[in-house]
Each structure stands twice: as C-alpha cells, then as structure tokens.
Amino acid sequence: MCGIFGCVLKDGNAAPLIHAALKRLEYRGYDSVGEATLFEGKLYVKKDRGMIDEVHKVHNLDDLPGTIGVGHTRWATHGAPLEVNAHPHVDCSGQIAVVHNGIIENFSELKLELENRGHTFQSKTDTEVIAHLIEETLKANPSLSLADAVLETVKKLEGSYAVAALSQREPDKIVCVRNESPLVVGINENAIYCASDIPAFLPLTNKAVIIDDGEIVILSLKGYEIKKIADSSLVSREPKLIDWSPEMAVKQGYPHFMLKEIHEQPECLRNTLRVQEHYIDLMSSFLDRARECFLVACGTSYHACLASSYMFSKLAFLATYPVIASEFVEQHGKSVNIDSTILAVSQSGETTDTLAALNCARQRAATVLGLTNAIGSTLTRISRVYICQQSGPEIGVAATKTFTSQLSVLAQLALGLAKKRGKISQDEMDFLKEKLKKLPATVETIIQTQEEKMKQIAKKYKDAKGFFFLGRGISTATAYEGRLKLMEIAYVPAIAFPAGESKHGPISLVEPGFPVVFICPKDETYKTLIGNIMEMKARGASIIAVIEEGDEEVRRLADDYVEVPKGIPEVLSPIPFVIPLQLLAYYMAIERGHTPDTPRNLAKSVTVK
Ligand code: AGP
C-alpha cells in the first residue's frame, strides 16, 4: 500500500518533518517517494523513483520551504515505478497537489473526459485524475473553497482512496478524504498531521483521530473539521490517546505482521476485485489461444496455481498443467514450444526458480504471462501480459493475504476465459461474480467468529509430532497450503495429499491421537470425503475439520471443527477455507514459542537456486 502524510505547522519547516514521517511509513513497502510544500503562496514539489534515502541524497527532500506540506511513499499499482508516476501529482496549472493511497476504478473514463476538456496528463497513474478534477471543478466555479472542490471531485470517484490535497489558493489548509483506504489525523499544540497510519506521527503526538469512510477533513492551525461527504454534515470526534510503542504501531497494534496480514485479507480481496478488467480480458485471450498451458510457481504461489487448475477446468474447460518451477526445465524443458503458454505466479516477481523456468520457456518461443504483487519486478518485465494482484506489501515471510489475492485474480481469469469460450451462462457468470464480491465479507466473518476457536485448537495440539492435511478436488490445494503454513512457521512436520491417496500408503502413519485436518466444503467430493474421515477415525486419528456452518454430519465425526459460512461455490472455496488454516499455523507457532514473521531458514523472496 502507498503511504500518505501531511502537516500544518505553527512554525519551522514542514519538509524535514515530512521526510522523517515517510521514513516511519517505509514498512508499508514502496518504490517511489515525493513531497510538496507551500511557501509564500507557491507550490514546491520534489519526487523520484527509489528509496527515501536515495531520493533524499539526490534531491535533498529537506530543503523545500514552508510550514505546510504533504508527502507520499508509492507502491505502484497503475504505471511503472518512475519519477513521472511518483506522487505528489499536480494539475495543469501546477497550483494543486495531491497524494493518494488506493485505487480509482473509473480513472480511465475520467482521464479521457478531462483530456477532451484540454487537460494534459504527465503520468500513467490513476491518482493524477484527482488533481485535474479539482482544477476542473474550480475552473467551473472559482468561488468554491478547496474543500468544496474536493467534495465535488470525490463524488465522481469510484474505488478506494485516502487523499490529501494542497492548493496555492488556500496555503493554510490541507483537505483530506477517505474511502476504504486508512486515514488518521494527529494533533498537538504546535501542529496538525494527517497520515495513512499512526506510526507516521506517533513520535510527535499520541493524540489520534480516526477518519471514517465517506468523510472529508479540513486541517489548519485552527484544528480539524470533519464532514460527511454525502451531505456535508459536521462530524464531532474527539482524539483518542494511543498507548502503542512505535514498534507496535507499525503493526497497527497486532503482535506480528503475519496476524495483521491475515486480518487484512478482506481489504486486499476488495482491492483485488479492482484489477483492471481489460488486463483480465487480454490475458484470457492469450490463454484461450494456447495449445497447452502451464501454471508455474513455487511454494504458496504453486498452491494457487494448483487451485486455479480446477477453476480453469471446471469453468472454462481449459486443461492447465501446474508445475513446480524448480522442476519445470527437467519435466517440460524439451517439449515446451511456440504453442505453449506459461502463466507464472509469483508474489515477489523475483523468485529465481520461477524466473529460470520462464527463461527456458522464452528461449523456446513460448508465451509468458505473469501474476504478481510487485509492479516493476522482473516477472512484469518479461511477461507479454501481467496482472498486479494489488495486495499491498506483505511483510511476514509466510504468504497469507497474497495467497487469497492470487486465488481471487485467478478465479476472475477463469471466469473471463469461460465467458470468452462460451462455456458459462450469463446466470452462472453473474452468480459467481456476486459470490466473488461477497468473499471479503465472508472472510471477515470467519476471522471474527473462528479465530478464538483456532487459538484453542492450537493450544490443544501444540505438542503434536505431526499433522495430515487432507482434501479432495480443489480442496487438495487448500490442504497443501495449510500444511506449508504449519511447517514453515510452527516447524511442525506435516503431510498433505489428496484424501483418496490415504489408503495407498500414508494411512500407515496414523496412530491414536494423530491429528488429521480435513477441508470439507459441501461440494461434489463431500460424500466421498466422509468415507475418508471414517477411515482415519477408525484408526484413532484426531479429526480436525473445516466445515460449512451447520454441517452436522462432519461435526459429529470431528474431534474439533471450525465453521465457514455456507454457500461458497466450489471453485472459490480455497479462499475462505484456508483462513482457519492460516490461523492454526500462526497460533501453533505462538504456542511453540516461535516468531511467525521471521521463521528460521526462510526468506521472503527466494532469489537463489
Ligand atoms: C510462502 O509462505 C513461502 N514464503 C514461499 O513458499 C513462497 O510462496 C515462495 O517462495 C514463492 O514466492 P513468490 O510468490 O514470491 O514467487
């Protein structure tokens, strides 16, 4: 996610303070940085691609004049990480500057409309339309205040945003608005601040005012004024005292980034649903014409590929071959050819095994497509088409929110392909799209209602010497992911395999009390899965089941269970069903005294062979 910051000071220079605040937002991940200040009625802007220290070394971010300004750390979602795409963005006159965190879904049509009115754009970003819209609004009605112009502007925006705007016309104010992206205000006797997150101003004040969705806030030396965007009604809200340490604040009060990122999944899934339609359409065209299609990745990203192979098959009737990247050259290096298409999935976009597989495929003229969380990564540069999953940076080494985001994008891709191939009816398409839209709320419900239960289950099995994770159909992928999570952060040996394989060998491992986790959506495999549960139970296994709420049959068979809301379509089931498994792994790690964010022997991005 991007980070925004702004301040209005009684005296002193805003620029160095903005610089320090942006440093405290670095943990959010970014590729570019910028600042804008106002001095004697004039706007000053400095920005560039690169880390804060690098950009400061070249441009000296501290020597911008003025007691008022805004700053931004950019995590690219629209437009590569370049100086021209860094925030702040200004309007044609250079008198209005904005910084933004979020995704403006309708920016293309707004940009076209503004260009037709003569506006000239510098960047490829969605954010820049905000500055030009404010300019256009003030041109149409010069008597408007900056706040009123921002109010009019945001009513035209669709998507998520936390925006801070400055204007030479009102050099004593910062106007901020919020919808879905976080925004907080800090206040002390010498200044007032706005930021994406409390750590930005915590060393300066522990008095924070949380701004809610659909609110506009005007900052000045007189204080802050909050209004509802819908009807401009005033909102009265007192500051809260924050008693976090700066270290805790960076995790928004969560004990670990991993738990924070598990909880961030509803927001990420909402953002993932804002992936640009035309890139889904373009990528599905490449998949449609492929003679053979490989899904190539490592670790958790491979599990996303495995799950998506069921989606592509069941929805679009497309056979795809999930391949673990480190095996791709051995397995397919000789056969891959110009008629092959490789869809590589990599959160970092830099995993060496995955890039090596793609290198081999490209040498044999295959088509390479990419799904990643990092715009500007190597994967985006070597892909014919890539999609950014827009999960925001993931700090915990174990992939959680990026996994469910990958699944959401892959499901959208499978739906787009099914539509293109005429394999799905309009009703089925509408039904699945509706279900996909409801997933953020479903995941929110699971976390809120089942976290405590998962914590107890982790306590109960914390000394277990091993686990099985079993599923059938698409739930096999969910089982593999649950197993990887438990192994990599709780260091518990675990095995995952299709439940139908038990009798072909692994069941010999089962002794009384051996924990076996079953993923049990009520899909076509449910009845057969019941049989697998019985065969494990008959050998004394302890059955831990992830079930649909109200599933009495499995509930009676299980020693322990957690419930997810019913009615999730089979092809989307890995997204809700993996949430309890992420929580199990996290709380098992805590119970066993480990550090979930930085598990031993592991790196966030594996850039070695
Ligand atoms: C996931 O929890 C692991 N940290 C690891 O398996 C990871 O998924 C794998 O290394 C692939 O990374 P990528 O998605 O950045 O390519």
Side-chain angles (χ1 to χ4, degrees):
M1 283 85 76
C2 303
I4 71 171
F5 180 80
C7 61
V8 186
L9 310 179
K10 266 200 179 113
D11 49 37
N13 275 345
L17 193 143
I18 295 170
H19 175 185
L22 294 179
K23 284 290 284 182
R24 292 191 288 268
L25 290 177
E26 278 194 306
Y27 74 89
R28 296 169 69 85
Y30 68 103
D31 48 58
S32 312
V33 61
E35 290 191 25
T37 60
L38 276 168
F39 178 64
E40 294 178 352
K42 194 172 171 326
L43 196 62
Y44 296 83
V45 180
K46 282 188 178 179
K47 62 181 186 176
D48 204 347
R49 167 184 189 162
M51 299 294 100
I52 292 170
D53 294 346
E54 294 163 352
V55 174
H56 178 56
K57 211 159 146 191
V58 172
H59 299 280
N60 186 355
L61 293 170
D62 292 349
D63 73 356
L64 289 166
T67 59
I68 176 172
V70 293
H72 187 265
T73 51
R74 180 177 185 242
W75 172 273
T77 54
H78 296 73
L82 300 169
E83 183 274 334
V84 73
N85 291 330
H87 304 206
H89 286 290
V90 300
D91 67 319
C92 302
S93 70
Q95 298 185 18
I96 297 165
V98 300
V99 290
H100 163 233
N101 174 32
I103 296 162
I104 305 301
E105 287 174 56
N106 61 334
F107 89 95
S108 304
E109 50 262 40
L110 291 171
K111 183 168 180 174
L112 194 60
E113 205 180 299
L114 288 160
E115 283 171 333
N116 293 340
R117 290 167 179 261
H119 288 260
T120 315
F121 282 79
Q122 306 304 320
S123 80
K124 292 264 184 298
T125 67
D126 52 341
T127 303
E128 192 181 350
V129 296
I130 301 171
H132 292 278
L133 274 176
I134 295 170
E135 175 191 15
E136 189 62 27
T137 307
L138 288 170
K139 204 186 292 176
N141 192 338
S143 63
L144 281 181
S145 67
L146 175 62
D148 290 338
V150 170
L151 256 180
E152 288 315 306
T153 294
V154 291
K155 287 174 181 167
K156 298 183 182 115
L157 302 183
E158 292 167 20
S160 57
Y161 48 80
V163 175
L166 284 177
S167 166
Q168 288 180 185
R169 294 160 61 124
E170 297 181 60
D172 61 341
K173 286 187 185 64
I174 297 177
V175 177
C176 301
V177 283
R178 177 202 167 152
N179 185 46
E180 290 186 20
S181 297
L183 182 68
V184 286
V185 168
I187 188 161
N188 63 25
E189 58 283 353
N190 300 316
I192 189 158
Y193 314 98
C194 62
S196 296
D197 206 350
I198 288 168
F201 56 66
L202 192 55
L204 306 165
T205 179
N206 65 351
K207 290 181 189 158
V209 182
I210 309 298
I211 304 303
D212 287 341
D213 281 352
E215 292 180 344
I216 182 170
V217 54
I218 301 143
L219 308 182
S220 70
L221 287 178
K222 293 187 198 115
Y224 60 94
E225 183 184 62
I226 307 173
K227 291 182 184 174
K228 287 206 171 304
I229 291 173
D231 59 11
S232 301
S233 56
L234 279 172
V235 175
S236 164
R237 191 168 299 139
E238 289 304 311
K240 286 198 311 187
L241 285 184
I242 301 298
D243 58 2
W244 292 339
S245 67
E247 206 258 342
M248 272 186 76
V250 157
K251 297 171 192 153
Q252 282 172 359
Y254 289 100
H256 298 100
F257 279 113
M258 182 177 173
L259 189 59
K260 172 174 172 282
E261 286 152 4
I262 289 172
H263 281 251
E264 271 175 359
Q265 291 180 101
E267 180 198 345
C268 293
L269 286 168
R270 272 191 284 274
N271 276 339
T272 304
L273 291 173
R274 294 187 176 111
V275 162
Q276 294 173 67
E277 196 73 31
H278 52 276
Y279 291 141
I280 293 274
D281 189 47
L282 181 59
M283 191 174 278
S284 58
S285 301
F286 277 94
L287 293 172
D288 186 32
R289 73 183 179 89
R291 290 276 291 278
E292 58 179 3
C293 181
F294 296 99
L295 310 173
V296 176
C298 301
T300 290
S301 298
Y302 170 74
H303 301 151
C305 290
L306 184 59
S308 71
S309 67
Y310 291 84
M311 298 173 189
F312 286 121
S313 170
K314 287 173 178 287
L315 295 178
F317 293 54
L318 174 77
T320 55
Y321 309 102
V323 181
I324 288 177
S326 54
E327 287 303 313
F328 180 82
V329 175
E330 284 306 306
Q331 230 174 344
H332 303 286
K334 286 280 181 289
S335 60
V336 69
N337 58 61
I338 194 163
D339 294 324
S340 310
T341 294
I342 320 290
L343 171 55
V345 177
S346 174
Q347 184 287 123
S348 63
E350 299 297 349
T351 298
T352 300
D353 287 337
T354 305
L355 298 179
L358 297 183
N359 192 33
C360 163
R362 291 169 73 213
Q363 282 169 3
R364 300 177 65 87
T367 299
V368 170
L369 309 173
L371 169 58
T372 185
N373 193 32
I375 284 195
S377 62
T378 304
L379 179 56
T380 59
R381 291 199 299 276
I382 63 173
S383 298
R384 292 283 294 281
V385 179
Y386 70 85
I387 290 175
C388 175
Q389 63 193 63
Q390 296 172 154
S391 313
E394 188 171 60
I395 314 294
V397 166
T400 49
K401 64 177 189 173
T402 53
F403 175 61
T404 47
S405 292
Q406 286 169 342
L407 291 171
S408 172
V409 174
L410 290 163
Q412 292 174 66
L413 204 46
L415 271 174
L417 184 58
K419 185 174 136 195
K420 194 179 287 289
R421 305 181 102 192
K423 302 292 184 187
I424 194 169
S425 71
Q426 188 59 46
D427 288 351
E428 286 168 314
M429 166 74 70
D430 293 345
F431 170 75
L432 286 168
K433 283 203 165 183
E434 205 38 49
K435 288 290 186 182
L436 204 49
K437 274 195 193 130
K438 288 191 177 137
L439 277 180
T442 301
V443 168
E444 189 99 62
T445 302
I446 296 167
I447 293 169
Q448 282 168 355
T449 61
Q450 304 302 308
E451 180 165 16
E452 191 47 43
K453 218 175 192 186
M454 223 58 223
K455 205 186 276 185
Q456 298 315 316
I457 290 174
K459 269 190 194 339
K460 178 175 179 182
Y461 294 96
K462 71 180 175 63
D463 299 321
K465 295 287 174 284
F467 271 72
F468 275 0
F469 285 81
L470 305 187
R472 294 185 82 102
I474 196 167
S475 295
T476 304
T478 315
Y480 280 123
E481 178 54 14
R483 165 227 179 200
L484 176 61
K485 289 281 102 40
L486 189 68
M487 286 199 305
E488 65 175 333
I489 65 159
Y491 314 149
V492 178
I495 309 174
F497 47 84
E501 272 296 284
S502 303
K503 54 190 172 300
H504 299 286
I507 201 164
S508 62
L509 275 175
V510 177
E511 296 167 348
F514 186 88
V516 181
V517 177
F518 278 97
I519 291 97
C520 321
K522 281 196 165 176
D523 59 16
E524 291 155 12
T525 69
Y526 177 75
K527 282 294 173 211
T528 320
L529 192 77
I530 297 276
N532 299 133
I533 294 173
M534 306 287 278
E535 68 189 4
M536 286 293 173
K537 204 168 169 59
R539 287 156 180 83
S542 295
I543 307 300
I544 302 167
V546 185
I547 63 175
E548 282 188 18
E549 64 188 326
D551 178 351
E552 290 303 325
E553 191 169 2
V554 177
R555 192 191 276 184
R556 272 197 302 278
L557 293 171
D559 297 272
D560 300 277
Y561 65 89
V562 284
E563 294 178 287
V564 304
K566 62 174 74 172
I568 309 287
E570 173 193 12
V571 289
L572 303 180
S573 62
I575 295 175
F577 278 80
V578 78
I579 306 298
L581 307 184
Q582 295 170 342
L583 291 166
L584 175 65
Y586 173 78
Y587 285 109
M588 282 286 276
I590 300 299
E591 286 297 327
R592 294 162 72 98
H594 301 315
T595 51
D597 286 343
T598 51
R600 65 189 181 202
N601 311 329
L602 293 180
K604 184 59 189 169
S605 177
V606 183
T607 52
V608 289
K609 258 190 175 289

